[in-house]
Amino acid sequence: DAKTTQPNSMESNEEEPVHLPCNHSTISGTDYIHWYRQLPSQGPEYVIHGLTSNVNNRMASLAIAEDRKSSTLILHRATLRDAAVYYCILGGTSYGKLTFGQGTILTVHP
Amino acid sequence: NAGVMQNPRHLVRRRGQEARLRCSPMKGHSHVYWYRQLPEEGLKFMVYLQKENIIDESGMPKERFSAEFPKEGPSILRIQQVVRGDSAAYFCASSDSVGGNIQYFGAGTRLSVL
């Protein structure tokens, strides 16, 4: 499986934007970039995914570098509820396991 | 539309007993995945099943662990003769046949082995 690298932790203030980076220099041409998050004591939650173009949904935006070797998850206005571990995962759209790394622990300050 | 339902939420077993964890996927979903999260560790894939078939069990321990997803009823993860090292949170996820690999997770079963 292609490997992703994320910072161990990041901090933000409430109402401010948050940019969570992910490096994936060995990404293959067919790998999608998926983001999940896990709130304390809960199961992971799908956030967003994309292949080449930037993507937006109600939760977040995903900015993908032109060479696809890195991407950034953008939370436009962080809330306390966004405090979670964020995982960047590579995979295809075929079915199969998700390989979770250590993720980024996001702390949001009031 | 109910989400992925796991039960029980908490399960306590003594060493040597059996643990049965249940997972009802979202309505219409035919793909089920089980993951384990050991204390202070990341989520690790265990097994991927479609109705009545095991597709990928590469993350499943070779002994004492088994999984099934019968034609009718929930998926079951079974752990025989539990040991303290089995204490963990076990998460089930499901996906459908058209949504690609977007997996929807349950709240998990927290297994404690005394």
Side-chain angles (χ1 to χ4, degrees):
Chain A
D1 293 336
K3 183 176 170 57
T4 62
T5 304
Q6 300 177 251
N8 289 334
S9 62
M10 291 187 65
E11 298 187 18
S12 174
N13 294 318
E14 207 174 5
E15 303 292 313
E16 291 183 354
V18 181
H19 291 234
L20 296 162
C22 180
N23 288 322
H24 29 77
S25 58
T26 60
I27 190 170
S28 76
T30 57
D31 278 337
Y32 277 71
I33 302 156
H34 300 259
W35 284 81
Y36 284 76
R37 71 180 185 181
Q38 186 175 21
L39 278 64
S41 300
Q42 295 189 28
E45 175 185 31
Y46 166 79
V47 178
I48 200 167
H49 76 288
L51 183 62
T52 56
S53 303
N54 295 344
V55 184
N56 300 297
N57 67 20
R58 64 176 180 81
M59 291 181 70
S61 296
L62 176 60
I64 301 172
E66 200 168 328
D67 64 6
R68 300 205 332 120
K69 292 185 177 182
S70 65
S71 61
T72 302
L73 178 71
I74 303 166
L75 307 178
H76 295 285
R77 292 179 66 194
T79 69
L80 297 178
R81 195 196 172 277
D82 291 322
V85 181
Y86 286 79
Y87 298 98
C88 169
I89 301 168
L90 302 183
T93 53
S94 59
Y95 316 104
K97 65 183 179 184
L98 296 174
T99 301
F100 289 83
Q102 292 305 304
T104 296
I105 300 171
L106 175 65
T107 301
V108 180
H109 299 288
Chain B
N1 187 11
V4 177
M5 303 301 293
Q6 290 189 248
N7 67 82
R9 290 293 310 276
H10 300 275
L11 182 61
V12 179
R13 285 287 178 267
R14 296 192 180 279
R15 281 179 295 169
Q17 292 184 320
E18 179 180 286
R20 280 182 178 245
L21 288 62
R22 295 175 187 77
C23 169
S24 296
M26 287 181 69
K27 186 176 180 180
H29 285 195
S30 59
H31 305 264
V32 166
Y33 311 82
W34 286 93
Y35 295 82
R36 177 168 67 173
Q37 190 167 34
L38 294 165
E40 307 304 321
E41 292 190 21
L43 284 143
K44 303 294 183 189
F45 166 79
M46 299 181 74
V47 63
Y48 160 38
L49 310 101
Q50 284 183 270
K51 281 291 187 180
E52 300 184 275
N53 293 306
I54 295 175
I55 307 301
D56 180 358
E57 56 181 348
S58 59
M60 191 87 103
K62 293 291 185 282
E63 298 179 351
R64 302 187 297 107
F65 286 73
S66 62
E68 63 178 15
F69 188 18
K71 188 176 179 181
E72 301 290 339
S75 175
I76 305 289
L77 179 68
R78 182 183 177 205
I79 311 172
Q80 295 179 288
Q81 299 175 337
V82 296
V83 301
R84 290 221 173 103
D86 297 332
S87 296
Y90 293 81
F91 294 98
C92 168
S94 71
S95 65
D96 63 21
S97 299
V98 297
N101 205 15
I102 297 174
Q103 297 184 16
Y104 298 87
F105 284 78
T109 293
R110 279 148 184 85
L111 173 65
S112 297
V113 179
L114 305 179

